[in-house]
Amino acid sequence: AAIDAHGGDAHRPRLFHQQRQAGGESQLGKAAGRIHAQRAFGVLDQMRSKRVAPTLETFNALLRVCAEHAEPNLALQAYDMMEYHHIQPDTATFVSLIKSCGSDVAAARRLYTEFFRPSALPPSAAVFEALLQACAAAGDLESAQETLAELQEVPGLQPTAVCLDAV
């Protein structure tokens, strides 16, 4: 795959669109969040220019910024960069990827299905919490109930208080 200037897949289309919910973040607030996330990428560029190798912690911090500002396209770019640098994701990586979708439940489920499920990581209550938080943010009770049912099918996992609060 072609790699862009940041190490991301230059051919990956923008898979996720931002849904503006009634009473949601203002356009100005959204723009400020995007600027904040782009500044975080700038730090990564500075590291590269000084030949400092990024670590899992570097990318997880970048992904947390993307999650805080609901920037799934930037989060995917960071994930592509992780793959480019041969850095193995952990549960926190996937939690931030899912949280970056904000209230876009379909995008959050797609990330879970395409990235977390095929990974070698064991199922995690934290990942299900992130999915349920997306459902709650969207007011999607049906998807929340489906996600909770899926969680309950995983041996050894029990819904946490955060999971139950989301439903």
Side-chain angles (χ1 to χ4, degrees), residues 4-29:
D4 68 14
H6 295 289
D9 186 338
H11 298 294
R12 182 184 297 230
R14 289 188 173 267
L15 298 176
F16 306 100
H17 62 280
Q18 298 295 323
Q19 294 180 346
R20 184 159 152 73
Q21 301 290 327
E25 187 175 19
S26 71
Q27 291 293 354
L28 183 59

Side-chain angles (χ1 to χ4, degrees), residues 12-20 30 34 63 66 70-80 94 96-116 131 134:
R12 182 184 297 230
R14 289 188 173 267
L15 298 176
F16 306 100
H17 62 280
Q18 298 295 323
Q19 294 180 346
R20 184 159 152 73
K30 186 71 177 158
R34 184 162 185 79
L63 287 165
C66 293
E71 290 289 346
N73 290 311
L74 290 176
L76 277 176
Q77 185 178 1
Y79 187 81
D80 286 342
F94 293 111
S96 292
L97 272 172
I98 291 167
K99 285 184 174 183
S100 75
C101 296
S103 63
D104 188 343
V105 176
R109 293 290 304 171
R110 209 166 31 250
L111 282 173
Y112 171 74
T113 301
E114 292 178 16
F115 292 93
F116 182 75
L131 287 168

Side-chain angles (χ1 to χ4, degrees), residues 124-126 128-129 132-133 148 151 157-166:
S124 163
F128 283 100
E129 286 175 8
L132 286 165
Q133 288 169 345
L148 187 58
L151 165 76
L157 278 187
Q158 295 296 319
T160 64
V162 173
C163 289
L164 297 174
D165 284 346

Side-chain angles (χ1 to χ4, degrees), residues 86-99:
H86 306 287
I87 296 173
Q88 293 298 311
D90 64 4
T91 299
T93 305
F94 293 111
V95 168
S96 292
L97 272 172
I98 291 167
K99 285 184 174 183

Side-chain angles (χ1 to χ4, degrees), residues 1 3-4 6-9 48 59 78-87:
I3 304 298
D4 68 14
H6 295 289
D9 186 338
R48 184 178 23 228
F59 284 109
Y79 187 81
D80 286 342
M81 292 168 67
M82 283 181 71
E83 288 181 329
Y84 176 78
H85 288 284
H86 306 287
I87 296 173

